[in-house]
Amino acid sequence: MMKAAEIAAAVQRRERSAAEFVRASLDAADRLNPTLHAFLELFHEQARQQAAEVDRRIAAGERLPLAGVPLAVKDNICLGPTPYGGRTTCASRFLEHYRSPFTATAAQRAINAGAVIIGKTNLDEFAMGSSTEHSAFGPTRNPHDPERVPGGSSGGSAAAVAAGITPLALGSDTGGSIRQPAAHCGIVGVKPTYGRVSRYGLVAFASSLDQIGPMASDVRDAALLLETLCGVDPLDATTSRVPPPSLLPTLDEPLPQLVIGVPKQARSRGNHPAVDDAMDRTIAALAGMGAEIVEVDLPLLEASIAAYYIVAPAEASSNLARFDGVRFGRRAELRDGEGLYELYCRSRAEGFGPEVKRRIMLGTHVLSSGYYDAYYTTALKVRRRILNDFNAAFTGGHGRPPCHALLMPTTPGPAFRIGEKTQDPLALYLEDIYTVSVNLAGLPAMSIPRGFADIDGKRLPVGVQIIAPPFEESTMLRVARLLEAR
Ligand code: GLN
């Protein structure tokens, strides 16, 4: 599969047609999806029509930055009835037959820019998980080793890009769900600053943490898609008025004397050697380019897991209260004598899977009177201190220069085997040690591929993470771009 930037350029110049790229993408999906299960739905007919529409717009003289680029969209991002039919399942039995009446702003912006959506991708139910095994419709497999998970929750989107089915995908990241699957599948995944990209039409998991972002096979393509997504949206009051960044034109501009912070906690005893090796090689590459490498302290990194697994389920338990069997999705059949209460209980008991129920129970517990201060208020204090620690790293002081960006692993290890962690929710939550603090602090961060771990004759990708100050996506992408060349 060609890069998105090349596809868009070729379609814009009318050397090739959107129709031909979309056909190739759908053919690849037909060939690979039976093994990978990256897509829950494919838009054969609608995508062909949309490609023809893009070709017409180009012929009429429009300039479209994503002209004819096949795009995969995570199935917790709503697409309205036209042209894509509206099904938005969140990989949940609860929403198996739900049809959204509206389209998410992020998806609409990509469509306006000329992208053609070829399908909706698999995820952990309601984006709760790190392996895509919590999908009610079966797991997605990692294209590098089908016995292993692709990561999650945006595992379908990551697998679609890694397998070359689409050059670009949309994911969502509440605690790592774009970056972690990107690392496990060997691609680039960007979680924008909180407020950069509209959440309108993203089915809410934890509203103070959720962001939509791009997944791509290289940094330029990720920047290309991110540029179309950013900006204020009247339909999402949390979108920022900070002007959208100009990412592509600055991508290859030289950076000032770079200072990169490496948290001492980045070298945890739990890291796979290939992860430490990827960090070492990245630090050496940056130093070789003249960057100053400084050690920074994120003392609450380990506590970030506990804080996240209080804040995120608390918000989830509130957000998921809307699924009551009355207004959205699944409605249980009532037996004689049963009433509204049974309707709520039975619809929710039948509709939600075990991980979603676990989150709702956790969240309800930490918000309940008597426990609220002990858990929820404490977690918010930890959240604030994590933000302060990041700020201290970015602003410098005590003889240390301000950091332009921080470098951390994305995950402690490469992709694990399907089934390996399903019996132990805590082991799965620990997978998020390097990602959740970024969401708690609202920062932009991205994962880039940085080599492989050789395990059982398979080459499993390893990623590293670049974290930047709020709204510094441009710097972050330029650092990533520098590294891509080495
Ligand atoms: N793995 C994390 C969780 O299970 C993050 C999920 C996400 O970012 N959507 O909550």
Side-chain angles (χ1 to χ4, degrees):
M1 170 65 65
M2 279 161 69
K3 302 290 178 202
E6 294 162 9
I7 294 175
V11 173
Q12 187 69 54
R13 287 195 300 264
R14 299 179 68 183
E15 291 164 7
R16 311 269 298 266
S17 68
E20 112 191 46
F21 287 113
V22 166
R23 197 177 322 116
S25 177
L26 284 164
D27 286 349
D30 288 338
R31 206 168 54 244
L32 298 170
N33 204 46
T35 348
L36 295 179
H37 196 228
F39 289 89
L40 295 175
E41 185 182 11
L42 284 164
F43 298 131
H44 287 99
E45 204 33 54
Q46 303 95 313
R48 279 192 191 109
Q49 285 169 14
Q50 287 303 297
E53 172 67 20
V54 169
D55 285 327
R56 268 194 299 278
R57 286 169 70 189
I58 293 291
E62 279 192 61
R63 288 201 62 79
L64 303 173
L66 296 177
V69 178
L71 177 69
V73 174
K74 186 176 181 180
D75 205 15
N76 61 347
I77 297 172
C78 292
L79 299 180
T82 44
Y84 294 110
R87 263 191 89 185
T88 304
T89 68
C90 292
S92 179
R93 293 271 169 225
F94 213 112
L95 292 180
E96 195 170 356
H97 304 295
Y98 171 71
R99 282 178 194 269
S100 165
F102 48 75
T103 298
T105 300
Q108 191 60 53
R109 287 192 175 168
I111 295 170
N112 296 348
V116 177
I117 300 170
I118 72 138
K120 297 297 288 288
T121 57
N122 200 9
L123 63 151
D124 290 292
E125 184 176 0
F126 285 102
M128 296 172 188
S130 306
S131 67
T132 319
E133 292 166 289
H134 293 309
S135 166
F137 307 121
T140 295
R141 291 171 181 275
N142 190 318
H144 294 266
D145 177 0
E147 298 302 308
R148 290 179 187 261
V149 303
S153 64
S154 312
S157 285
V161 172
I165 298 173
T166 59
L168 293 179
L170 287 181
S172 69
D173 192 312
T174 304
S177 279
I178 290 176
R179 291 160 286 155
Q180 186 258 17
H184 285 342
C185 289
I187 64 165
V188 174
V190 182
K191 179 239 171 252
T193 310
Y194 185 80
R196 251 310 182 207
V197 176
S198 171
R199 292 181 294 110
Y200 178 75
L202 168 67
V203 177
F205 164 8
S207 310
S208 77
L209 304 166
D210 300 339
Q211 273 290 287
I212 292 175
M215 305 175 85
S217 66
D218 72 2
V219 177
R220 172 176 295 276
D221 274 6
L224 176 68
L225 178 54
L226 180 57
E227 212 169 55
T228 69
L229 303 178
C230 293
V232 71
D233 178 9
L235 297 171
D236 173 3
T238 62
T239 48
S240 166
R241 291 182 187 281
V242 174
S246 162
L247 300 173
L248 282 176
T250 56
L251 200 55
D252 291 311
E253 270 178 19
L255 283 155
Q257 172 54 47
L258 252 191
V259 181
I260 302 287
V262 180
K264 12 181 198 237
Q265 292 77 8
R267 247 166 237 288
S268 123
R269 31 197 159 47
N271 284 354
H272 189 279
V275 170
D276 286 335
D277 181 55
M279 284 292 289
D280 289 341
R281 279 184 291 107
T282 309
I283 292 168
L286 286 164
M289 289 180 248
E292 184 179 348
I293 309 291
V294 298
E295 189 180 78
V296 299
D297 196 10
L298 296 178
L300 291 177
L301 198 70
E302 225 170 283
S304 70
I305 291 271
Y308 172 85
Y309 280 97
I310 290 171
V311 172
E315 295 186 22
S317 71
S318 161
N319 274 324
L320 269 58
R322 76 191 59 175
F323 300 104
D324 55 7
V326 178
R327 287 165 300 172
F328 297 100
R330 190 180 190 98
R331 176 179 296 207
E333 299 278 333
L334 291 188
R335 302 187 195 110
D336 274 356
E338 290 185 331
L340 188 61
Y341 182 75
E342 287 81 7
L343 178 72
Y344 293 158
C345 294
R346 293 249 307 280
S347 300
R348 289 168 71 82
E350 292 168 9
F352 291 138
E355 183 60 27
V356 175
K357 287 178 181 162
R358 182 151 43 230
R359 305 285 177 115
I360 293 172
M361 285 190 284
L362 253 171
T364 311
H365 180 68
V366 300
L367 291 176
S368 59
S369 101
Y371 294 99
Y372 186 99
D373 278 340
Y375 292 114
Y376 188 65
T377 309
T378 309
L380 291 187
K381 287 179 187 162
V382 172
R383 181 180 192 172
R384 178 70 227 186
R385 285 186 47 191
I386 287 169
L387 178 62
N388 292 351
D389 292 341
F390 275 116
N391 283 341
F394 289 130
T395 48
H398 302 295
R400 203 179 43 63
C403 296
H404 295 96
L406 308 183
L407 182 73
M408 268 216 289
T410 309
T411 60
F416 44 92
R417 285 210 170 67
I418 292 178
E420 193 177 319
K421 300 195 184 189
T422 31
Q423 293 319 310
D424 185 356
L426 280 182
L428 198 59
Y429 296 171
L430 282 175
E431 176 76 8
D432 305 330
I433 178 86
Y434 295 122
T435 50
V436 294
S437 56
V438 163
N439 301 72
L440 289 168
L443 304 173
M446 66 190 289
S447 181
I448 55 169
R450 238 16 222 167
F452 296 88
D454 290 306
I455 300 178
D456 301 340
K458 296 276 182 350
R459 307 200 73 204
L460 303 175
V462 171
V464 298
Q465 186 178 202
I466 304 163
I467 306 167
F471 302 104
E472 293 294 334
E473 279 87 356
S474 160
T475 310
M476 177 175 84
L477 286 158
R478 280 152 78 192
V479 174
R481 178 86 172 149
L482 279 176
L483 284 169
E484 196 169 49
R486 315 272 163 144

